[in-house]
Amino acid sequence: MLQICLSSCGDDDLKKAAKLSEKVALNRDRTTGVDIIYSDSAKVKAQGFAPILDKVTPANGAIYQEMPKGVKINFIDEITTKIKGSITSDYAIMKDTEKLTIFRRNVVVVNENMTFNTEELVWDQNKKLFLSPKGVVTKPDGTVLNAVDFTATEDFNFINWKNGSGETYVPDNFGE
């Protein structure tokens, strides 16, 4: 037994498809080997490196910049101009209109006080805060904390989290 199924598109279906494709059209400008400087009040605060930076202009909606191959950002000490910390991730997106940068996949923040590992970290330029739903904080003394609702100031000098749990290092002479 042989069964044949035939289908056709009428003019109305083609018009609908054309309208749909117009709505999702976008323009993408790609730059490779990107070196980004972030400054505030003429002082360099950070320097970022991305192998690929795509500037995406959707037909409808706000322009954004995407780093599909990841990014590394070094935080610069204003006085010594030395690197005082860094953020790396496998993917990042900058939403200029909302003033948000979202780091995703294998996000690692390092400074002299801690290392923070997470799968998502958001930098809110308006609030001047970094935010993450959860992650792991490791301190130089060996303390390891699971942090929920993590927040940090832009310089990571003040960090806060809720519902944390973990292991801490207590020296042998504690309480003496």
Side-chain angles (χ1 to χ4, degrees):
M1 174 175 199
L2 175 66
Q3 184 177 8
I4 297 175
C5 182
L6 299 173
S7 173
S8 70
C9 256
D11 285 341
D12 289 338
D13 291 336
L14 290 174
K15 288 177 186 174
K16 289 178 188 175
K19 287 180 185 176
L20 179 63
S21 68
E22 288 172 15
K23 290 181 183 178
V24 296
L26 54 90
N27 182 20
R28 182 181 299 254
D29 295 319
R30 177 163 281 188
T31 306
T32 58
V34 177
D35 186 348
I36 303 166
I37 302 290
Y38 173 73
S39 63
D40 188 11
S41 304
K43 294 186 180 183
V44 175
K45 301 270 187 172
Q47 184 174 19
F49 307 94
I52 296 173
L53 175 69
D54 291 333
K55 182 178 179 182
V56 181
T57 308
N60 295 322
I63 296 170
Y64 60 91
Q65 297 177 59
E66 190 173 39
M67 289 153 273
K69 297 288 184 183
V71 66
K72 177 171 183 155
I73 299 174
N74 291 324
F75 297 105
I76 310 296
D77 185 283
E78 293 175 24
I79 298 167
T80 66
T81 65
K82 292 184 179 180
I83 296 171
K84 63 179 184 177
S86 66
I87 296 177
T88 57
S89 70
D90 291 346
Y91 170 87
I93 184 168
M94 294 173 22
K95 298 181 178 184
D96 296 332
T97 305
E98 299 168 41
K99 295 200 173 206
L100 293 175
T101 302
I102 303 165
F103 303 91
R104 290 195 179 118
R105 296 191 312 269
N106 299 315
V107 182
V108 181
V109 178
V110 177
N111 69 17
E112 63 184 27
N113 300 319
M114 60 137 207
T115 299
F116 180 64
N117 295 284
T118 185
E119 287 301 306
E120 181 174 280
L121 182 69
V122 176
W123 175 38
D124 187 326
Q125 291 181 40
N126 292 321
K127 294 179 182 177
K128 298 189 181 283
L129 288 175
F130 282 95
L131 307 129
S132 179
K134 65 181 179 177
V136 177
V137 176
T138 306
K139 299 249 181 175
D141 67 2
T143 300
V144 178
L145 302 164
N146 295 308
V148 177
D149 294 331
F150 176 92
T151 59
T153 54
E154 284 182 316
D155 57 9
F156 284 93
N157 283 336
F158 299 98
I159 60 173
N160 191 18
W161 62 85
K162 299 176 185 172
N163 303 325
S165 64
E167 297 178 17
T168 188
Y169 171 76
V170 179
D172 291 337
N173 62 354
F174 182 75
E176 292 180 5

